[in-house]
């Protein structure tokens, strides 16, 4: 089954994937901007939203890796013309994932305060962390379900439906943020930080319902759990396990960063919260092309079309760099107005402006890492992705961060460590792709 590698075919997947991908950081950015400007305890609310948001992102990313595994298997079987052989796999994978998510939810809900004390949260910030998380955590299984179905659509070379769902979810969340955080005089009381949590939970529920309807109505994939287990379930679980370990390492870096920023003080964690949300926004923006590489790369691998797979990698990298350049220019032009969107605290803004240039300059490096990360996921190379993340985190990010801390670099140490982290990831993936795929293309 032939797959065209052209700007049109790549953008057909990449543009909807980009819009879908930025929905999550848009939600986080909206929460950050709205919560950071509440009239009561805005700084403490901003810090709590940043800490809880980072922890929830860790949980979702760690347990949401079934999405990539499902996408890789389905795209490869689609490319090989054998899709019927894995039609019962998604329901089995989703059932396993939801079961695991419920176990995690129930195991954290009773020790919330202890969890956030590990992030050095105390006083009002800790109090707000507990109340915010107590609401948002119930959307955790809903998000995992939605992500898994997004993976099915991606494997089927369809990123349009996830885009539609993401737009609806993001729009609803933003609307509810304004209504529930600030309230409506005489109708709805201002709930402040808890209002943002309820806005997220309601939006997650709506997205889960809509994505379920689309899957049932628009595809031949059934959500009915059928036995015996599919022959690929073992491979899917191993792929998910590799990604699980990989994402633990990934989130170890993010959590260590949050913890060290919190230790530096309230205005540092506030500035870091703004910076990391913008970093994630740019990452997911670029990741749209990585998603196209994921879908098309798996299909081309299934069809054993290595020449076009190399062509795909070159073109997606080029398009991704173009997007990152546009984001860099926008970042430098709107350097100061961007900060004022999120906070009116002078200390927070001064600290943010002091490190924002690092976030902007890191974008091309991030592009290299994200593009090849997507390609490797589509190719099913989860074990190598795991090893690269472990290397980048524990021999790159952590030593650089604590060396910078030793020399008193403060928040700069965290963001320099992020640059090194992404550089190690990107270079390792480019090297492996050249070593493995180019010889296969030269000797078909």
């Amino acid at each position: 089954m032939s797959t065209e590698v052209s700007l049109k075919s790549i953008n057909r997947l990449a543009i909807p994937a980009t819009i879908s991908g930025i929905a999550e950081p848009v939600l986080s950015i909206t929460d950050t901007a709205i919560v950071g400007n509440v009239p009561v305890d805005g700084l403490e609310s901003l810090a709590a939203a940043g800490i809880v948001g980072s922890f929830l992102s860790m949980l979702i990313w760690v347990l949401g890796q079934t999405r990539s595994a499902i996408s890789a298997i389905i795209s490869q079987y689609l490319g090989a013309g054998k899709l019927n052989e894995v039609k019962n796999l998604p329901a089995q994978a989703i059932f396993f994932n939801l079961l695991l998510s419920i176990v995690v939810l129930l195991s954290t809900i009773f020790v919330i305060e202890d969890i956030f004390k590990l992030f050095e949260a105390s006083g009002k910030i800790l109090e707000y962390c507990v109340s915010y998380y107590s609401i948002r955590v119930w959307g955790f299984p809903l998000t995992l379900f939605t992500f898994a179905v997004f993976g099915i659509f991606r494997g089927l070379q369809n990123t349009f439906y996830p885009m539609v769902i993401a737009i609806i979810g993001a729009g609803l969340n933003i609307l509810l943020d304004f209504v529930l955080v600030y309230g409506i005089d005489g109708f709805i009381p201002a709930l402040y930080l808890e209002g943002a949590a309820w806005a997220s939970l309601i939006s997650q529920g709506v997205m889960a319902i809509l994505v379920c309807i689309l899957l049932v109505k628009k595809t031949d994939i059934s959500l009915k759990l059928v036995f015996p287990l599919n022959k690929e379930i073992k491979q899917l679980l191993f792929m998910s396990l590799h990604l699980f370990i990989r994402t633990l390492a990934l989130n170890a870096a993010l959590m260590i960063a949050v913890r060290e920023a919190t230790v530096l003080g309230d205005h540092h964690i506030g500035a870091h919260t703004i910076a990391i949300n913008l970093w994630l926004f740019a990452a997911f923006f670029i990741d749209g092309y990585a998603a196209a590489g994921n879908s098309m790369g798996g299909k081309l691998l299934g069809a054993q079309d290595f020449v076009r797979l190399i062509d795909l990698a070159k073109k997606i990298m080029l398009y991704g760099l173009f997007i990152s350049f546009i984001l860099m220019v926008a970042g430098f032009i709107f350097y100061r107005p961007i900060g004022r969107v999120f906070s009116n605290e002078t200390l927070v803004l001064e600290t943010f402006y002091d490190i924002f240039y690092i976030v902007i300059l890191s974008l091309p490096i991030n592009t290299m890492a994200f593009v090849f990360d997507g390609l490797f996921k589509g190719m099913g190379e989860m074990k190598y992705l795991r090893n690269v993340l472990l290397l980048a985190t524990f021999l790159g990010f952590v030593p650089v961060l604590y060396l910078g801390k030793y020399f008193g670099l403060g928040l700069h140490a965290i963001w320099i460590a992020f640059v090194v982290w992404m550089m190690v990831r990107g270079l390792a993936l480019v090297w492996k792709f050249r070593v493995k795929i180019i010889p296969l293309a030269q000797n078909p």
Side-chain angles (χ1 to χ4, degrees), residues 62-96:
V62 167
L63 296 179
Q65 295 307 310
T66 305
R67 171 181 63 173
S68 296
I70 291 174
S71 176
I73 292 173
I74 288 180
S75 63
Q76 288 177 30
Y77 270 81
L78 181 66
K82 300 178 180 178
L83 187 59
N84 282 331
E85 296 182 16
V86 290
K87 278 193 175 179
N88 66 336
L89 179 65
Q92 296 170 1
I94 289 172
F95 175 79
F96 171 79

Side-chain angles (χ1 to χ4, degrees), residues 236-372:
L236 182 139
L237 291 177
F238 272 116
M239 289 167 71
S240 298
L241 179 61
H242 291 317
L243 290 174
F244 178 89
I245 296 169
R246 172 186 182 273
T247 312
L248 283 177
L250 186 154
N251 281 282
L254 296 177
M255 293 300 102
I256 290 170
V258 170
R259 186 182 186 280
E260 292 302 323
T262 306
V263 170
L264 289 170
D266 289 357
H267 61 280
H268 284 88
I269 184 59
H272 179 73
T273 298
I274 297 170
I276 198 66
N277 274 291
L278 291 170
W279 187 88
L280 289 171
F281 173 79
F284 281 102
F285 209 105
I286 297 167
D287 200 47
Y289 283 94
N294 184 317
S295 299
M296 298 176 71
K299 188 178 178 183
L300 289 167
L301 184 68
Q304 301 290 292
D305 194 343
F306 302 112
V307 173
R308 287 186 177 177
L309 184 56
I310 293 172
D311 188 34
L312 174 69
K314 290 178 179 178
K315 287 180 177 177
I316 289 184
M317 185 65 193
L318 183 63
Y319 302 150
L321 286 173
F322 177 71
I323 296 297
S324 69
F325 176 74
I326 292 174
L327 292 174
M328 288 175 70
V329 172
F332 280 118
I333 291 174
F334 300 105
Y335 200 91
R336 292 194 171 270
I338 286 172
R340 291 193 292 270
V341 169
F342 299 99
S343 179
N344 53 17
E345 295 281 345
T346 302
L347 276 177
V348 171
L349 289 175
E350 287 178 354
T351 307
F352 167 69
Y353 293 142
D354 204 31
I355 53 95
F356 186 38
Y357 73 94
I358 302 177
V359 178
I360 296 172
L361 293 175
S362 69
L363 293 180
I365 298 170
N366 296 353
T367 297
M368 175 175 61
F370 291 136
V371 164
F372 280 90

Side-chain angles (χ1 to χ4, degrees), residues 6 15 25 66 76-77 103 108 128 147 210 213 266 311 323-324 339 352 356 396 404 420 430:
S6 64
I15 292 174
T66 305
Q76 288 177 30
Y77 270 81
V103 171
T108 62
Y128 287 157
F147 275 18
L210 292 177
I213 293 171
D266 289 357
D311 188 34
I323 296 297
S324 69
F352 167 69
F356 186 38
V420 172
V430 170

Side-chain angles (χ1 to χ4, degrees), residues 54-191:
S54 297
F55 181 68
L56 277 173
S57 293
M58 179 197 71
L59 291 180
I60 291 168
W61 286 355
V62 167
L63 296 179
Q65 295 307 310
T66 305
R67 171 181 63 173
S68 296
I70 291 174
S71 176
I73 292 173
I74 288 180
S75 63
Q76 288 177 30
Y77 270 81
L78 181 66
K82 300 178 180 178
L83 187 59
N84 282 331
E85 296 182 16
V86 290
K87 278 193 175 179
N88 66 336
L89 179 65
Q92 296 170 1
I94 289 172
F95 175 79
F96 171 79
N97 213 38
L98 287 178
L99 188 64
L100 186 60
S101 73
I102 291 170
V103 171
V104 172
L105 185 155
L106 294 176
S107 65
T108 62
I109 196 69
F110 299 110
V111 289
I112 302 174
E113 189 168 316
D114 294 324
I115 290 171
F116 294 113
K117 281 181 179 177
L118 295 175
F119 293 90
E120 302 295 330
S122 60
K124 266 188 179 175
I125 293 178
L126 179 59
E127 179 186 333
Y128 287 157
C129 282
V130 172
S131 63
Y132 187 59
Y133 182 80
S134 297
I135 299 168
R136 281 208 59 183
V137 70
W138 296 100
F140 178 51
L142 299 171
T143 297
L144 289 187
F145 172 78
T146 301
F147 275 18
V149 179
F150 280 4
I152 297 171
F153 281 123
R154 183 178 292 182
L156 294 171
Q157 314 295 291
N158 183 337
T159 56
F160 179 76
Y161 289 151
M163 177 194 71
V164 172
I165 299 299
I167 290 173
I168 293 172
L172 179 61
N173 197 333
I174 292 170
L175 174 64
L176 291 174
D177 263 338
F178 281 102
V179 171
L180 298 178
V181 172
Y182 298 128
I184 299 176
D185 287 341
F187 293 97
I188 300 173
L191 299 176

Side-chain angles (χ1 to χ4, degrees), residues 65 68-69 72 239 241-250 294 368-393 421 424-426 428-430 432:
Q65 295 307 310
S68 296
M239 289 167 71
L241 179 61
H242 291 317
L243 290 174
F244 178 89
I245 296 169
R246 172 186 182 273
T247 312
L248 283 177
L250 186 154
N294 184 317
M368 175 175 61
F370 291 136
V371 164
F372 280 90
D373 189 80
L375 282 167
F376 272 70
K377 284 180 179 177
M379 292 159 53
E381 291 282 345
M382 313 309 190
K383 184 177 180 180
Y384 186 73
L385 286 171
R386 178 202 69 187
N387 292 340
V388 167
L389 231 301
L390 290 170
L391 173 71
T393 300
W421 188 53
V424 172
R425 291 170 58 183
L429 293 176
V430 170
K432 179 69 172 179

